[in-house]
């Protein structure tokens, strides 16, 4: 009975995952998918992670991330037979001097949330550089979503040809939506 259920479960997930090989599905279930937060220093990557995890805003002094950090989350998205799906969110350091460290982690990322600060023009101009690095180091089928963080109100336009959303780690605007959108 239990074995039957497992077979049905795998068949169901296989359908959902567009007939990927069984080994891929099992490793996907066991290890979860990996989502990375990338973008210039100070755009709000750590705050986005904390907002998503704890529902709080890290106000006050800004402490730059050193290297890389990750936490596991359970997200509701294969709701019928597999109600919980594990994914890891990796918060990377935006500072230039850590780039060679973070590049090494791109290869097995399933999704990248690429952030800029809507109040900082340079962080927006650098999106092109980030996309070039993503194309160089990440898998070809990686999901990329661009997030304009620190918004006060939404204006939805962008020019980079990847899905885009405006967010605020401060108010929580679209934060959960951004993570669940790339987790799907
Ligand atoms: N007003 C406002 N401030 C924000 C928002 N998100 C982050 N901040 C502020 O921006 C500063 C930098 O945020 P972090 O999350 O530490 O930035 P980071 O991208 O992780 O920076 P690195 O670790 O250096 O890569 C902090 O002072 C935050 O309080 C937001 O949505 N609105």
């Amino acid at each position: 009975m239990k074995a039957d259920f497992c077979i049905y479960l795998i068949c169901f997930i296989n359908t959902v995952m567009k007939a990927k090989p069984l080994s891929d599905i099992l490793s996907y279930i066991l290890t979860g998918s990996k989502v990375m937060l990338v973008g210039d220093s100070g755009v709000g990557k750590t705050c986005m992670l904390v907002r998503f995890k704890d529902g709080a805003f890290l106000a006050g002094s800004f402490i730059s991330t050193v290297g890389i950090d990750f936490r596991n989350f359970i997200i509701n998205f294969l709701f019928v037979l597999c109600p919980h799906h594990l994914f890891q969110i990796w918060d990377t350091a935006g500072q230039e001097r850590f780039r060679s460290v973070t590049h090494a982690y791109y290869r097995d990322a399933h999704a990248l949330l690429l952030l800029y600060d809507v109040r900082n023009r340079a962080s927006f101009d650098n999106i092109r550089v980030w996309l070039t690095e993503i194309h160089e180091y990440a898998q070809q089928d990686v999901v990329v979503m661009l997030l304009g963080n620190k918004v006060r109100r939404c204006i939805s336009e962008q020019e980079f040809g990847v899905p885009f959303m405006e967010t605020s780690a401060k108010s929580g605007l679209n934060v959960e939506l951004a993570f669940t959108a790339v987790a799907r």
Side-chain angles (χ1 to χ4, degrees):
M1 181 66 189
K2 219 170 180 182
D4 282 355
F5 175 75
C6 287
I7 291 165
Y8 285 130
L9 180 62
I10 288 168
C11 291
F12 171 77
I13 293 166
N14 198 20
T15 312
V16 172
M17 292 185 68
K18 301 190 183 80
K20 291 204 169 181
L22 191 60
S23 56
D24 278 14
I25 297 167
L26 288 177
S27 81
Y28 190 79
I29 295 167
L30 293 176
T31 60
S33 34
K34 177 173 163 185
V35 178
M36 284 177 74
L37 290 159
V38 295
D40 277 10
S41 178
V43 296
K45 299 179 296 296
T46 302
C47 287
M48 185 75 77
L49 181 62
V50 172
R51 163 63 73 184
F52 181 64
K53 181 179 170 282
D54 302 328
F57 176 58
L58 269 189
S61 53
F62 162 39
I63 302 163
S64 240
T65 304
V66 176
I68 200 141
D69 183 18
F70 85 95
R71 298 157 210 218
N72 291 328
F73 293 89
I74 308 281
I75 275 277
N76 240 351
F77 93 93
L78 281 179
F79 13 167
V80 190
L81 286 176
C82 183
H84 293 113
H85 172 74
L86 185 73
F87 75 94
Q88 301 173 352
I89 302 175
W90 295 61
D91 177 22
T92 63
Q95 287 181 41
E96 189 88 43
R97 64 199 169 109
F98 296 119
R99 295 285 163 84
S100 54
V101 181
T102 52
H103 286 162
Y105 292 86
Y106 279 32
R107 205 165 347 117
D108 57 349
H110 299 94
L112 298 169
L113 289 174
L114 173 57
L115 278 77
Y116 68 90
D117 175 350
V118 294
R119 303 174 199 175
N120 176 346
R121 177 76 209 187
S123 74
F124 178 78
D125 292 340
N126 283 338
I127 290 298
R128 220 167 275 287
V129 177
W130 283 102
L131 285 172
T132 306
E133 291 185 1
I134 289 167
H135 289 139
E136 190 170 341
Y137 296 101
Q139 295 177 57
Q140 263 191 336
D141 61 351
V142 71
V143 174
V144 180
M145 178 171 284
L146 182 63
L147 302 179
N149 190 39
K150 305 194 189 181
V151 288
R152 289 198 192 102
R153 61 193 169 82
C154 281
I155 318 155
S156 286
E157 265 176 49
Q158 65 100 17
E159 61 187 65
F160 295 104
V162 291
F164 170 69
M165 216 178 261
E166 287 187 317
T167 55
S168 170
K170 187 173 183 179
S171 70
L173 176 80
N174 288 338
V175 172
E176 199 167 329
L177 192 62
F179 281 104
T180 49
V182 293
R184 273 166 202 273

